[in-house]
Amino acid sequence: MTGQDGEEKDPFKSHAGLAAGVMVVGVAVGGLLPTVVEDRVSALWGVGLASVTGVVALLLKRRAMKQDLKAALKVVGVVFGLRMVAVVTGLLGMVSRGMQPVPFIAGFFGVYFALQWIEVSYVMAASKSAAGGDE
């Protein structure tokens, strides 16, 4: 994709907008769907941690794509580790407060799976732009 002056269009803005939309929907569902207050809090913590790690992931992947695909693959590993720590920390936090872990898991992974697709789509679009769009 090219801009009006022949400059390459950065796919980051559209993917960041999609990610923001997923996060807003996640907050809405997590805040409205559970009927028990503790479950709502647990779900919102899951959505929040998935959203924070999603923002970090998209920013790190943007930075890595300016280098090369190998750097982007390294970022995938780093982000996976970050998300694993977020899930374990969130679960321990929910259990230590006597809250149900299932709403946390549903909130986290509901948002995570959508964000993961957006991140993969961004990496593919950015690599096509870097290659001149012929791939």
Side-chain angles (χ1 to χ4, degrees), residues 49 53 76-92 104-105 108-109 112:
L49 284 175
T53 59
V76 169
V78 169
V79 169
F80 179 79
L82 175 67
R83 284 179 165 143
M84 189 171 48
V85 169
V87 168
V88 169
T89 303
L91 282 174
L92 290 174
F104 172 83
I105 293 296
F108 186 93
F109 285 103
Y112 162 75

Side-chain angles (χ1 to χ4, degrees), residues 42-129:
S42 183
L44 289 173
W45 268 101
V47 169
L49 284 175
S51 297
V52 167
T53 59
V55 168
V56 170
L58 202 53
L59 291 172
L60 287 175
K61 287 177 183 174
R62 179 185 192 191
R63 184 175 174 198
M65 288 306 296
K66 291 180 180 178
Q67 297 172 21
D68 59 2
L69 191 57
K70 187 175 179 180
L73 291 174
K74 287 180 185 177
V75 167
V76 169
V78 169
V79 169
F80 179 79
L82 175 67
R83 284 179 165 143
M84 189 171 48
V85 169
V87 168
V88 169
T89 303
L91 282 174
L92 290 174
M94 296 304 112
V95 171
S96 70
R97 289 170 175 73
M99 296 179 171
Q100 293 295 322
V102 173
F104 172 83
I105 293 296
F108 186 93
F109 285 103
V111 171
Y112 162 75
F113 287 132
L115 291 178
Q116 187 65 40
W117 278 103
I118 292 168
E119 293 166 22
V120 168
S121 174
Y122 170 70
V123 169
M124 289 173 54
S127 65
K128 280 184 181 179
S129 290

